[in-house]
Amino acid sequence: LDAELSYVRNDVINHYALSFNLLIPSETNNLHFTWHAKSKVEYKLGFQVHDPMAMALPQANISLQGEVPRTLSVFRVELSCTGRLDSDVTILMQLNLTINSSKNITVLNFKRRKMCYKKLEPEVKSPTADKNSSKTIFDPVNAAPTTSTRVFYISVGVCCAVIFLVAIILAVLHLHSMKRIELDDSISDSSSSQGLSQPSTQTTQYLRADTPNNATPVTSKCYPTLRIEKNDLKSVTLMEAKAKVKDIAISRERITLKDVLQEGTFGRIFHGILIEEKDPSKEKQVFVKTVK
């Protein structure tokens, strides 16, 4: 994951991030975690592996019990496969945090998955076999196929079978998509004909200025809304859409972002301050949602 993933920010646990069971590439053997505490916080670290034959118990470069550092620090967790067998290993790292009292314990569970593969051991030839092979006379006419030749033919056969199966799957998917496109075209044709014969008077709310979770505003001020006919949605151009949204658009310079209230993988909700357009000395509390 080429991004910063915060599990705890400003003493608030991000349970949404903890719910992810992230997949670790097979070539990655180390995980790095950044942490620090503003006050005294004691920790206890533990690991669980569901398949000990495929992966050894993870090792950390810090002690399994101690105090969280007061300055920003990084600790490493090593995930090493044994190479005995192929397996999709599930790893659980549990971090128990104790604040000021033995009763106030916070438990954080970090879930990870990693594919471990079996190591190929090279063949070891015995000295007796070398002596006997030196005395053996090679007969090119009656010689049996070598192991490498057999492996080559088997590999070619497997590749041909895989290519044949892939071709069949692609053909089935292509036919299925063609039928789906024809069905969608027929449905769109029928719906468009109905729209021409019977103009709809229903309207749908396209944009609206709401607080998070669509809560009702506290004040009785009427917020501007934008309504567009259902039949006109496909015909609206970019310039027309910008012109219609212009009435409810707010300049970025009037908004100041403050604390992060909620955070997900693709967006955040901030607490912010909005400056009045007519009177810059007046401010109001707002919520701002960003999406990436």
Side-chain angles (χ1 to χ4, degrees), residues 31-271:
L31 298 179
H32 296 85
F33 293 87
T34 304
W35 66 343
H36 80 285
K38 299 177 183 178
S39 58
K40 184 178 180 180
V41 178
E42 296 180 354
Y43 75 89
K44 189 175 182 181
L45 191 62
F47 300 96
Q48 290 182 5
V49 176
H50 91 285
D51 195 350
M53 292 293 294
M55 175 181 289
L57 198 66
Q59 300 292 328
N61 65 340
I62 59 173
S63 59
L64 297 181
Q65 190 171 358
E67 184 177 342
V68 179
R70 302 293 178 90
T71 59
L72 204 62
S73 306
V74 178
F75 69 90
R76 183 182 71 251
V77 176
E78 183 178 351
L79 307 176
S80 300
C81 296
T82 60
R84 297 179 183 176
L85 48 88
D86 297 341
S87 177
D88 186 0
V89 183
T90 301
I91 308 108
L92 175 65
M93 184 179 83
Q94 187 176 84
L95 183 65
N96 295 343
L97 302 174
T98 305
I99 304 174
N100 299 329
S101 173
S102 59
K103 296 181 180 180
N104 189 3
I105 299 177
T106 301
V107 180
L108 303 178
N109 291 319
F110 305 92
K111 303 174 185 178
R112 296 292 186 272
R113 286 176 51 230
K114 182 179 179 181
M115 279 298 302
C116 290
Y117 299 100
K118 185 177 181 181
K119 292 182 179 179
L120 298 177
E121 299 180 357
E123 296 182 359
V124 181
K125 296 183 178 180
S126 61
T128 55
D130 294 338
K131 292 180 182 179
N132 294 333
S133 62
S134 62
K135 297 179 182 179
T136 304
I137 300 175
F138 179 70
D139 185 1
V141 177
N142 299 321
T146 61
T147 304
S148 61
T149 306
R150 293 175 182 173
V151 172
F152 173 77
Y153 285 122
I154 293 174
S155 302
V156 171
V158 172
C159 291
C160 293
V162 170
I163 292 172
F164 181 73
L165 289 175
V166 170
I168 292 178
I169 293 173
L170 290 176
V172 172
L173 292 176
H174 179 68
L175 292 175
H176 183 69
S177 62
M178 291 298 291
K179 290 181 180 179
R180 200 170 185 179
I181 291 172
E182 292 176 359
L183 182 60
D184 292 342
D185 291 341
S186 62
I187 293 175
S188 62
D189 291 340
S190 61
S191 61
S192 62
S193 62
Q194 291 176 1
L196 291 173
S197 59
Q198 299 177 357
S200 174
T201 58
Q202 296 179 354
T203 59
T204 180
Q205 187 167 339
Y206 188 65
L207 291 174
R208 63 181 178 183
D210 271 358
T211 55
N213 298 326
N214 294 333
T216 305
V218 177
T219 62
S220 60
K221 179 180 178 181
C222 294
Y223 290 93
T225 59
L226 174 63
R227 295 182 179 274
I228 299 177
E229 293 287 341
K230 286 184 177 180
N231 295 335
D232 294 339
L233 285 176
K234 293 183 179 180
S235 62
V236 174
T237 63
L238 181 59
M239 296 302 294
E240 292 174 348
K242 286 184 178 181
K244 292 185 178 182
V245 178
K246 186 178 180 181
D247 294 336
I248 64 173
I250 297 175
S251 176
R252 177 64 179 87
E253 288 76 11
R254 294 172 52 200
I255 301 175
T256 303
L257 300 181
K258 294 294 185 180
D259 299 332
V260 179
L261 301 180
Q262 292 185 10
E263 180 178 0
T265 304
F266 302 107
R268 293 178 180 177
I269 296 181
F270 291 87
H271 170 239

Side-chain angles (χ1 to χ4, degrees), residues 5-19:
L5 187 60
S6 299
Y7 292 103
V8 180
R9 183 196 296 274
N10 296 330
D11 302 332
V12 178
I13 301 175
N14 189 349
H15 295 282
Y16 184 69
L18 286 171
S19 64

